[in-house]
């Protein structure tokens, strides 16, 4: 047993025994006791400190100068009484810490309470040597543990006593006063005492500030820091002056405010006015000063139209402009009015128009960057407006923060909007325009609609559309029979005509051949009407989609009918076979002619293409490509690889432009600009421009999934073209497309699994490239894109070996095999005719056996490798890229 020795709490300080075992702890005990003193002082007197800090901070900030003398005296009395009460409150609660308190606090920080153990005495076994030895070992161990004691930090937290953190508020006021106030303000309180004459002894003084308008973004100036006699400040700056001392010692004289009428006294202790013109500013009196003020006038904003209206493929109009202001443009307005002088007043437009307000849209502002000078574009869709494609006047105005407006920048041009090329749809849109032009055109529009529906079987491919037109016609005639049609009736008929025209222009025709014919007719009509490049690209894309649908329909029909082999070999020898890539090449040629402005040749080629498509026949077997799922998958992966290469090229050019802003100018001189140069009709941004996919997915679907459409690819929705976010969105779409292709691989076995693994690796690399692009790290993105392309090539190589293995295992003797061998012997490893003659004049990539496929693949891999070496000259790389795109 042990007997604890606990000192009597009533012992006087220093009367408690000091065991020798506690000698090593003397410093720790002293520091602990000092910590307790600080802790108890702070807990007892924090209200007093808070009051003193708050009062001192207010004095340093000059808070008493803003109040009346009576209010100042009231605050002084409250401060003194509060300080006295806090002092008494703290004195009653403060207790000086005893030596035992320090021992207890120090012992609580040690495991096992060794100090208390050292103070214990052995109560039993005091005569037993073994018990004594055990007790001594215990004491030695506790002494060793206590020797490691360190004084604990005092607990100065007061959240339980000060839940509103008033002490921190007072500290903040004090620190603010020390940093931004002045110590001489403390004398202003002493001046309030009776009999003091410090004001007269120190003399009058002053201070002042110049605050420029907030929209300028300029800092406030302190007049006392101005060393020169000339001041250049923005117009409408606010000057604030304060005079200290006897009233009348200092006076203000100024000619910069332009104030008239009843003015305040020049000797008022506080003066405030706005600077509206140049002049003099003088403070008369002891310690005064004088300045010549020059006003920096706020220039009005400026806006200029920098281009012409451009129509995008989705029907939106884009009109670029530049805006500038010395301090930044904050708004503006674009007003579009009808140009009566250039309007052809014929047909329905000859009728006096109904009153219609001008089109008013807010001026687009730059979302990022400096608005003092920026370039933006008005992007709106006016396709459904009654003035669509009519001559109008665009008027741009910008506005700055003071409310100044720029002079109007005007442009006379058509209200560019979507045009309809289906004859019936175009006629309905014209009648809709006439009806919205004037309600008085109602009877005329009804008469023309009745004429259009006279022989529906000749103009309506779908009788449902004819019935819709008849319903619209009856509604219009019933409205007109009751008198002039109302505005609501006018809008109802116009909406119905618009919906019907969209159905005729874009409606999905069940028969693929009829849909293809309509797409060809609209494209031909657009070429004759001189449509814009964007409209041509959109219609060309529709033709590609319709052609692919027609090819798939023919392939399904051939599979269902099961073409007999009787006479098949002779028919194949005497017929011309077309692959999907051949059709794409023909359509690329048509698009190339249109881009070169050779519309007559393009229209002739389009007619020949239409006749060939109507007369063509798809057969099963070695001669056709459309029925091979493996070949379609291979073509789709090749298209994805080309798109990835184009995206990587664009990222590389953006990386060059970060370090060499002139690189883009040099590139445009030697490589047809950013989006051209890899060959006519191609783009760095989207692989092979305008080329549809051949993996069973329509070009339109590929465009939507890859973020590019038409030629060269377009920007992803919601991102600026060419920005890191745009490239990242396109990379994400390309990764999604690769995942779809990977899931649809038709082959199994070890080679098929290897192909899928390689495509998975390519997908992970694309994901890394996407994250790098979102972070603006072009170098990392290019590395990840290179890994993705290498993995894609490995996947395509594995897929090709799987196809070759499957083909060798599935070969059977017969007419078809003999025909395939003859065709394979007549072709080189790239599928071209060795002699330049033969029936397969369009086929370029038909490979008959596995060995030839491997030889062709090795050759293509070598071309791809050399095309990716950036140390080669630009002309050599362009030539290699054209070889890849061709074969």
């Amino acid at each position: 047993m042990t007997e604890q020795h606990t000192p009597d709490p009533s012992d006087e300080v220093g009367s408690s025994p000091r065991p020798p075992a506690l000698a090593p702890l003397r410093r720790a005990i002293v520091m602990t006791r000092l910590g307790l003193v600080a802790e108890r002082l702070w807990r007892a007197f924090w209200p007093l400190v808070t009051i003193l800090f708050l009062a001192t901070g207010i004095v340093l900030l000059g808070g008493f100068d803003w109040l009346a003398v009576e209010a100042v005296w009231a605050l002084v009395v409250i401060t003194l009484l509060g300080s006295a009460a806090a002092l008494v409150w703290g004195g009653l609660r403060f207790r000086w810490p005893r030596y035992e308190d320090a021992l207890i606090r120090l012992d609580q920080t040690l495991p096992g309470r060794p100090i208390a153990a050292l103070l214990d005495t052995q109560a039993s076994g005091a005569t037993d040597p073994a018990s004594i030895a055990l007790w001594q070992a215990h004491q030695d161990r506790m002494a060793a543990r206590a020797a490691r004691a360190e004084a604990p930090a005092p607990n100065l937290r007061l959240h339980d006593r000060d839940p509103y953190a008033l002490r921190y508020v007072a500290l903040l006021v004090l620190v603010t006063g020390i940093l931004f106030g002045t110590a001489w303000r403390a004398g202003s309180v002493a001046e309030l005492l009776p009999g003091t004459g410090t004001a007269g002894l120190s003399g009058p003084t002053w201070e002042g500030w110049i605050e420029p308008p907030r929209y300028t973004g300029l800092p406030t100036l302190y007049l006392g820091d101005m060393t020169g006699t000339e001041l250049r400040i923005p117009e409408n700056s606010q000057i604030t002056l304060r005079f200290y001392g006897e009233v009348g010692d200092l006076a203000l004289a100024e000619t910069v405010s332009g104030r008239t009428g009843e003015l305040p006294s020049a000797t008022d202790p506080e003066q405030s006015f706005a600077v509206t013109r140049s002049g003099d500013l003088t403070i008369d009196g002891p310690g005064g000063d004088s300045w010549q003020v020059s006003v920096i006038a706020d220039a009005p904003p400026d806006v200029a139209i920098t281009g012409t209206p451009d129509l995008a493929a989705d029907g939106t109009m884009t009109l670029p402009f530049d805006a500038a202001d010395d301090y930044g443009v904050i708004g503006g307005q674009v007003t579009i009015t009808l140009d009566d002088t250039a309007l052809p007043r014929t047909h329905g437009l000859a009728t006096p128009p109904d009153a219609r307000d001008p089109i008013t849209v807010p001026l687009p502002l730059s979302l990022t960057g400096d608005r003092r000078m920026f370039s933006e574009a008005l992007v709106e869709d006016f396709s459904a407006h009654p003035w669509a494609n009519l001559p109008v006047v665009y008027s741009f105005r910008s506005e700055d923060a003071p409310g100044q407006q720029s002079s109007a920048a005007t442009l006379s041009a058509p209200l560019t909007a979507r045009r309809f090329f289906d004859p019936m749809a175009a006629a309905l849109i014209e009648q809709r325009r006439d009806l919205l032009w004037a309600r008085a055109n109602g009877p005329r529009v009804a008469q023309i609609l009745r004429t259009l529906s006279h022989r529906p079987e000749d103009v309506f491919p779908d009788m449902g559309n004819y019935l819709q037109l008849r319903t619209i016609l009856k509604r219009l005639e019933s409205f007109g029979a009751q008198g002039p049609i109302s505005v609501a009736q006018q809008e109802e008929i116009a909406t119905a005509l618009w919906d019907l025209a969209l159905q005729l222009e874009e409606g999905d025709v069940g028969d693929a051949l009829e849909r293809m014919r309509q797409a060809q007719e609209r494209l031909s009509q657009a070429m004759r009407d001189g449509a814009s490049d964007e409209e041509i690209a959109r219609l060309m894309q529709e033709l590609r989609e319709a052609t692919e649908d027609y090819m798939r329909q023919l392939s399904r029909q051939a599979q269902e009918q099961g073409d007999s082999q009787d006479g098949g070999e002779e028919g194949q020898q005497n017929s011309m076979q077309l692959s999907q890539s051949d059709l794409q090449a023909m359509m690329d040629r048509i698009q190339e002619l249109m881009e070169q402005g050779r519309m007559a040749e393009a229209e002739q080629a389009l007619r020949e293409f239409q006749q060939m498509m109507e007369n063509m026949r798809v057969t099963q077997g070695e001669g056709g490509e459309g029925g091979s799922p493996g070949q379609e998958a291979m073509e789709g992966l090749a298209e994805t690889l080309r798109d990835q290469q184009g995206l990587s090229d664009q990222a590389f050019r953006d990386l060059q432009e970060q370090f060499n802003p002139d690189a883009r100018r040099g590139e445009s001189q030697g490589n047809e600009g950013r989006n051209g140069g890899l060959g006519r009709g191609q783009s760095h941004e989207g692989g092979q421009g305008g080329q549809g996919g051949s993996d069973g997915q329509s070009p339109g679907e590929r465009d939507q999934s890859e973020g590019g459409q038409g030629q060269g690819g377009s920007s992803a929705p919601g991102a600026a073209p060419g920005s890191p976010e745009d490239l990242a969105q396109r990379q994400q779409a390309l990764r999604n497309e690769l995942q779809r292709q990977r899931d649809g691989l038709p082959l199994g076995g070890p080679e098929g699994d290897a192909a899928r693994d390689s495509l998975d690796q390519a997908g992970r690399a694309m994901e890394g490239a996407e994250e790098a692009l979102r972070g603006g790290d072009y170098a990392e993105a290019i590395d990840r894109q290179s890994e993705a392309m290498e993995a894609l090539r490995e996947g395509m190589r594995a897929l090709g070996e799987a196809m070759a293995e499957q083909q060798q295992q599935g070969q059977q003797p017969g007419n078809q095999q003999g025909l395939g061998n003859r065709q394979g012997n007549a072709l080189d490893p790239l599928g071209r005719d060795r002699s330049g003659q033969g029936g397969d004049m369009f086929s370029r990539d038909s490979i008959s056996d596995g060995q030839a496929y491997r030889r062709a693949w090795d050759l293509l891999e070598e071309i791809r490798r050399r095309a990716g070496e950036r140390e080669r000259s630009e002309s050599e790389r362009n030539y290699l890229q054209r070889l890849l795109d061709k074969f």
Side-chain angles (χ1 to χ4, degrees):
M1 294 180 61
T2 62
E3 181 179 351
Q4 285 189 338
H5 173 75
T6 303
D8 187 0
S10 62
D11 292 345
E12 294 296 331
V13 176
S15 64
S16 299
R18 303 289 191 269
L22 299 181
L25 303 179
R26 182 175 302 170
R27 182 178 182 279
I29 295 173
V30 172
M31 297 303 296
T32 303
R33 195 172 185 183
L34 291 178
L36 289 175
V37 172
E39 178 181 322
R40 295 186 180 185
L41 281 174
W42 177 238
R43 294 192 176 191
F45 295 103
W46 72 267
L48 176 62
V49 175
T50 300
I51 295 174
L52 295 178
F53 279 7
L54 184 63
T56 305
I58 293 175
V59 170
L60 292 178
L61 291 173
F64 292 150
D65 297 337
W66 296 80
L67 302 176
V69 175
E70 293 78 5
V72 172
W73 275 109
L75 290 177
V76 170
V77 171
I78 293 175
T79 302
L80 293 176
L81 292 178
S83 301
L87 180 61
V88 173
W89 184 86
L92 294 176
R93 283 162 176 74
F94 177 73
R95 295 291 183 272
W96 189 267
R98 296 175 295 116
Y99 179 81
E100 290 76 11
D101 296 334
L103 285 179
I104 295 173
R105 171 65 65 85
L106 184 61
D107 198 21
Q108 289 174 349
T109 63
L110 299 174
R113 306 292 292 271
I115 297 178
L118 291 176
L119 297 177
D120 293 342
T121 58
Q122 186 176 5
S124 63
T127 59
D128 184 7
S131 177
I132 294 174
L134 179 61
W135 174 254
Q136 188 61 41
H138 171 66
Q139 289 288 91
D140 294 342
R141 186 175 59 180
M142 292 296 102
R145 184 178 299 178
R148 296 194 297 268
E150 295 183 359
N155 182 11
L156 302 179
R157 293 190 295 270
L158 298 176
H159 57 274
D160 55 337
R161 292 174 171 81
D162 184 17
Y164 299 104
L166 298 179
R167 61 194 186 281
Y168 293 126
V169 175
L171 180 62
L172 176 62
V173 174
L174 176 63
V175 172
T176 305
I178 293 174
L179 294 178
F180 303 104
T182 53
W184 63 265
R185 288 188 178 278
S188 63
V189 179
E191 293 175 0
L192 301 176
L193 299 177
T196 59
T198 56
L201 295 176
S202 62
T205 185
W206 59 271
E207 60 180 346
W209 300 268
I210 301 176
E211 300 179 31
R214 183 172 299 178
Y215 62 81
T216 63
L218 299 176
T220 299
L221 302 177
Y222 185 65
L223 274 175
D225 295 336
M226 299 292 101
T227 56
T229 60
E230 294 185 1
L231 297 177
R232 286 180 52 83
I233 58 178
E235 187 178 6
N236 295 321
S237 295
Q238 191 75 16
I239 295 182
T240 302
L241 297 172
R242 291 178 185 168
F243 299 153
Y244 304 103
E246 292 294 335
V247 176
D249 289 347
L250 298 175
L252 170 67
E254 56 87 12
T255 59
V256 296
S257 66
R259 295 178 292 178
T260 59
E262 185 177 354
L263 301 177
S265 174
T267 59
D268 282 353
E270 183 172 345
Q271 305 277 347
S272 181
F273 52 90
V275 177
T276 59
R277 60 188 180 184
S278 300
D280 296 329
L281 175 64
T282 303
I283 299 177
D284 295 326
D289 207 339
S290 178
W291 300 271
Q292 293 180 354
V293 179
S294 298
V295 172
I296 304 174
D298 192 337
D302 183 53
V303 65
I305 302 174
T306 59
T308 57
D310 189 17
L311 183 65
D314 59 354
T316 58
M317 182 206 71
T318 302
L319 182 57
F321 67 92
D322 291 341
D325 184 65
D326 46 3
Y327 297 116
V329 177
I330 66 166
Q333 192 177 67
V334 180
T335 304
I336 304 175
T337 57
L338 197 62
D339 190 356
D340 294 328
T341 59
L343 184 67
R345 302 301 292 269
T346 58
H347 305 297
L349 301 181
T351 305
D354 296 339
R356 186 174 295 275
D357 295 333
I359 304 174
T360 303
V361 295
L363 183 72
L365 300 178
S366 176
L367 297 179
T368 59
D370 193 351
R371 291 187 180 177
R372 289 179 295 181
M373 181 178 295
F374 63 91
S375 297
E376 265 294 340
L378 173 67
V379 180
E380 294 288 342
D381 187 358
F382 297 111
S383 300
H385 196 274
W387 296 346
N389 296 309
L390 292 181
V392 296
V393 176
Y394 299 89
S395 178
F396 283 67
R397 288 183 181 274
S398 59
E399 183 178 351
D400 61 6
Q404 301 180 101
Q405 289 193 348
S406 67
S407 57
T410 60
L411 173 68
S412 296
L415 184 62
T416 306
R418 172 180 180 169
R419 292 196 292 174
F420 291 76
F421 298 102
D422 181 88
M424 179 56 68
L428 294 179
I429 289 299
E430 182 179 356
Q431 298 313 306
R432 173 183 178 274
R433 180 205 65 189
D434 292 347
L435 182 62
L436 291 175
W437 177 261
R439 295 192 297 276
N441 280 332
R444 180 181 180 276
V445 171
Q447 183 181 11
I448 295 178
L449 293 181
R450 182 171 292 279
T451 303
L452 293 175
S453 61
H454 177 54
R455 292 188 177 181
E457 64 278 358
D458 296 337
V459 294
F460 287 98
D462 185 359
M463 285 297 102
N465 295 332
Y466 165 71
L467 294 177
Q468 285 183 260
L469 179 60
R470 293 294 299 179
T471 301
I472 296 172
L473 176 60
K474 289 182 180 179
R475 293 283 292 172
L476 180 58
E477 290 179 341
S478 64
F479 292 155
Q482 301 173 4
I485 64 175
S486 64
V487 175
Q489 294 169 346
Q490 178 190 34
E491 294 294 336
E492 177 185 344
I493 299 299
T495 302
L497 288 173
W498 175 263
D499 294 339
L500 179 56
L502 285 180
Q503 286 185 1
L504 293 172
E505 181 76 10
E506 300 177 348
D508 186 15
V509 182
D511 186 10
L513 177 59
E514 183 61 26
R515 183 180 174 214
M516 186 182 66
R517 286 174 179 169
Q518 292 185 7
Q520 292 168 347
E521 290 175 0
R522 285 196 292 269
L523 180 58
S524 179
Q525 183 66 35
M527 287 189 289
R528 289 193 295 270
D529 294 347
S532 64
D533 294 341
E534 289 76 10
E535 293 172 327
I536 292 290
R538 177 176 61 85
L539 295 173
M540 191 68 197
Q541 189 64 27
E542 292 180 3
L543 177 59
R544 292 179 189 274
E545 297 175 8
T547 302
E548 287 190 353
D549 292 343
Y550 180 55
M551 292 290 293
R552 285 194 292 266
Q553 186 186 64
L554 287 180
S555 179
R556 288 193 299 268
Q557 290 177 357
Q559 292 175 359
E560 293 172 359
Q561 294 173 2
D563 294 346
S564 62
Q565 300 298 325
D566 298 337
E569 180 178 346
E570 179 182 359
Q572 290 179 7
Q573 292 176 346
N574 296 330
S575 65
M576 181 175 64
Q577 300 177 4
L578 293 175
S579 67
Q580 181 74 20
S581 58
D582 298 327
L583 296 177
Q584 294 292 343
M586 296 176 68
M587 286 189 285
D588 289 342
R589 177 59 179 168
I590 295 172
Q591 185 168 358
E592 183 179 347
L593 292 172
M594 291 187 295
E595 292 171 355
Q596 295 174 359
R598 300 154 64 180
M599 292 300 178
E601 298 179 40
E603 190 171 357
Q604 177 64 27
L606 182 61
R607 284 197 296 268
E608 295 174 356
F609 175 77
Q610 181 177 359
Q611 294 174 2
M612 180 192 65
M613 291 298 299
E614 292 179 354
N615 297 328
M616 76 176 295
R617 173 172 171 267
V618 175
T619 61
Q620 301 298 315
E622 295 292 335
E625 291 182 285
S628 173
Q631 188 64 29
E632 290 182 358
M634 181 65 72
E635 292 175 355
L637 292 176
E639 180 71 17
T640 300
L641 180 60
R642 283 193 294 270
D643 292 343
Q644 183 62 78
Q645 179 66 55
L647 196 58
S648 179
D649 288 346
Q650 182 176 348
F652 179 74
R653 281 162 176 76
D654 289 343
L655 180 61
Q656 285 182 319
E657 292 171 10
Q658 283 185 348
F659 299 98
N660 183 12
D662 297 332
R664 186 166 184 172
R665 187 184 311 116
E667 176 186 308
S668 63
Q669 295 173 357
N671 196 22
E672 296 185 13
R674 179 185 183 87
N675 296 330
L678 284 180
R680 207 173 282 277
Q682 301 170 21
S683 167
H684 300 304
E685 295 182 5
Q688 186 173 354
Q691 181 170 339
S694 55
D695 56 355
Q697 186 184 16
S698 68
E701 294 168 346
R702 287 187 63 84
D703 285 347
Q704 294 174 2
S705 65
E706 296 175 9
Q709 69 182 30
Q711 184 170 333
S714 65
S715 301
S723 64
E725 182 64 24
D726 175 34
L727 297 181
Q729 291 180 13
R730 289 167 56 189
Q731 184 68 74
Q732 180 184 6
L734 199 60
R735 176 166 58 87
N736 296 338
E737 172 63 17
L738 177 65
Q739 182 62 34
R740 186 193 66 79
Q741 293 172 343
R742 186 264 183 204
D743 296 339
L745 286 182
L747 301 179
E751 292 82 0
D753 294 340
R756 290 183 177 88
D757 293 341
S758 297
L759 297 185
D760 285 339
Q761 182 180 356
R764 291 191 294 270
M766 287 182 179
E767 184 177 3
E770 176 190 343
E771 295 177 356
L773 287 172
R774 293 190 188 279
D777 189 353
Y778 287 107
E780 177 68 17
I782 293 172
D783 291 341
R784 301 288 79 79
Q785 289 169 341
S786 299
E787 295 177 6
M789 289 187 287
E790 184 62 30
L792 268 174
R793 294 189 184 102
E794 290 294 334
M796 294 173 67
R797 182 183 294 108
L799 180 60
E801 293 175 356
M803 292 170 56
E805 184 70 22
Q806 186 183 54
Q807 188 176 12
Q808 291 177 355
Q809 295 176 357
Q811 285 181 346
Q812 298 295 334
N815 293 337
Q816 293 292 337
Q817 181 63 30
L819 177 62
N821 290 337
R822 285 194 297 273
Q823 290 177 346
N825 293 334
L827 301 176
D828 66 2
L830 289 180
R832 297 172 294 188
D833 194 343
R834 295 180 185 274
S835 61
Q837 301 174 356
D840 198 0
M841 61 180 294
F842 286 103
S843 180
R844 298 182 300 197
D845 49 3
S846 301
I847 296 178
S848 58
D849 56 48
Q851 183 179 4
Y853 188 90
R854 289 190 182 92
R855 290 177 58 194
W857 178 259
D858 293 340
L859 180 58
L860 286 173
E861 278 294 288
E862 181 63 18
I863 296 176
R864 287 193 183 97
R865 185 185 66 80
R866 296 188 181 187
E869 293 176 354
R870 302 193 182 277
E871 61 270 12
R872 296 182 180 272
S873 64
E874 189 70 14
S875 58
E876 182 181 0
R877 293 180 61 209
N878 289 342
Y879 169 74
L880 294 174
Q881 187 65 40
R882 287 196 293 272
L883 285 179
L884 289 175
D885 294 333
K886 185 175 182 181
F887 301 115

